[in-house]
């Protein structure tokens, strides 16, 4: 499935905080609930101060990637602590396969670039 990106609150310039996640799912039985909560998290992102975000899926391998770009850490932390993302993080600990990871970095572009992530 091709990557999807969303512009929510485009910012002209400055330094951006980018966060990328790799979310492999261990069991097929967990894929449907994972996708359901992921959809709610995407809806949540549309109502936050995120600059942009993207999702990428390899359903056949049960692998998912996300990337979000923020203009500041405070806004990102508010999102992480709020529902449904807070519940998603708890559930993902149960669903995650080996290799799950996240990375964050600062840059001046703030673009969704899967190669960099």
């Amino acid at each position: 499935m091709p990557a999807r990106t969303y512009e929510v609150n485009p910012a002209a310039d400055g330094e951006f905080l980018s966060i990328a996640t790799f979310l492999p799912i261990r069991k097929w039985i967990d894929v449907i609930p994972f996708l359901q909560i992921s959809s709610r998290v995407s809806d949540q992102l549309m109502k936050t101060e995120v600059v942009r975000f993207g999702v990428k899926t390899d359903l056949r391998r049960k692998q998912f990637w996300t990337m979000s770009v923020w203009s500041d850490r405070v806004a990102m932390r508010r999102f992480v602590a709020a529902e449904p993302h807070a519940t998603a993080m708890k559930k993902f600990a149960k669903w995650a396969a080996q290799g799950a990871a996240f990375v964050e970095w600062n840059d001046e572009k703030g673009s969704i670039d899967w190669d960099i992530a």
Side-chain angles (χ1 to χ4, degrees):
M1 176 179 266
R4 296 176 312 240
T5 60
Y6 305 89
E7 294 288 324
V8 182
N9 298 297
D13 56 10
E15 186 168 272
F16 298 95
L17 170 65
S18 295
I19 299 176
T21 59
F22 172 55
L23 310 166
I25 303 297
R26 193 173 7 166
K27 299 177 184 175
W28 279 107
I29 197 165
D30 296 326
V31 170
I32 296 296
F34 171 78
L35 290 171
Q36 289 171 331
I37 201 159
S38 294
S39 176
R40 292 194 304 270
V41 170
S42 289
D43 291 344
Q44 176 192 2
L45 271 165
M46 295 299 283
K47 299 172 188 165
T48 67
E49 300 167 68
V50 71
V51 174
R52 61 189 57 89
F53 72 97
V55 294
K56 200 166 112 168
T57 302
D58 183 342
L59 190 57
R60 188 174 55 84
R61 293 186 175 147
K62 304 183 308 267
Q63 296 177 336
F64 305 88
W65 296 261
T66 69
M67 190 167 167
S68 58
V69 177
W70 303 86
S71 56
D72 66 73
R73 188 171 295 280
V74 173
M76 180 273 297
R77 286 185 178 153
R78 269 194 298 270
F79 162 74
V80 168
E83 292 299 336
H85 189 271
T87 296
M89 289 190 331
K90 291 174 190 166
K91 290 186 180 234
F92 190 70
K94 175 184 151 196
W95 298 334
Q98 186 172 355
F102 80 96
V103 63
E104 64 178 66
W105 67 96
N106 293 306
D107 68 31
E108 293 182 4
K109 280 184 164 178
S111 60
I112 300 290
D113 186 330
W114 296 106
D115 292 331
I116 290 174

